Amino acid sequence: MHDFSDVIGQDAVKEHLLRAVESDRVSHAYLLIGENGMGKEEIADAFAKMLLCEKNPLHPCGVCHACVQVDAGTHPDAVHVTHEKPNSIGVDEVRDQLAAEIMIRPFSGKRRIFIVPDAEKMTQQAQNALLKTIEEPPDYAVILLLTESEEALLETVRSRCVKLKFRPVPKEVLTRALMERFGVSRGEAVLAAEFARGVAGRAKEMVLSVEFRQRCEETLSLLFSLPEEGAEKIPGDISKIEEWYPDLMDFLDFVRMYFRDLLLLKSDPRSKNVIFAGNEERLIQASRDLSPERAGKALEETERTVDRLRANVNADLSLALLLEAVRMSRTKG
Ligand SMILES: [Zn+2]
């Protein structure tokens, strides 16, 4: 199932691993660093398949016994270290599932691969237990530590791993991939790529969710109607926004994109570069009574809101100031 092409972007990581297999210089320990949703698990599984496929290591066949077992999560030489407590990987878990297990020679292939998701959750003791193993690993062993935060790992552990950093996927690349793979419109793909900040897994979830599209629609309507409403409607709007956006930074991105489109259409009503594609008519209409100067102020207010939220200023208050600036950005009629 998993193969490098399933993961959007991360070309440098893929390239590095491919070259290691090709030149038969696979390291014993890798640290895969990146936000969840960037494809660390998928890459780790695909790499395990490359190392275990009976036919073609560079392009795992997907049909041999080894590939099928890796995909099913049942290959005895592809071990996923699991943990019982949600927030910590204990020393016993590392000892049993990794340190002791790794001494067993491969069952079928030439290698045994150990994948440790959320490696930063290893306790200090657990990391020390791991350290002994990665200092002198058996020649057939490959350990993949997956983590969001490299800093949570002991320097002694980190320094023995080849570090592979996952990067946010450039927005244009992500947008195109979302359109091609999921058949969504450019507008939806652009929005999801923007909100996901380059994390492909998050963007994918968005474009596949009905709520996402509905929420975009509702947010846009709310912003459109602000200038026509009195300031007394703002508290109600704030409640909605807080309900729709558990992470208010996403809403702030939305506001930025909204003004970007309005300013773009004000200078060129025929532009084909609109993010909120499909809403051109409404946007052009709104751009007509937009004051560029006040739009600029609203955008500055958006940046101040980012600072306020980061400084833990009351969210209601921060949003009230922002929505007032949005409301004033268009001189209605
Ligand atoms: Zn195969």
Side-chain angles (χ1 to χ4, degrees), residues 49 52-56 60-68:
K49 210 149 72 173
L52 297 170
C53 176
E54 294 155 14
K55 303 268 163 61
N56 184 348
C61 69
V63 294
C64 72
H65 191 53
C67 283
V68 171

Side-chain angles (χ1 to χ4, degrees), residues 197 249 303-313:
R197 296 187 193 95
M249 296 297 168
E303 298 319 307
R304 276 198 285 274
T305 310
V306 172
D307 295 339
R308 288 194 195 103
L309 291 174
R310 291 221 169 102
N312 286 320
V313 174

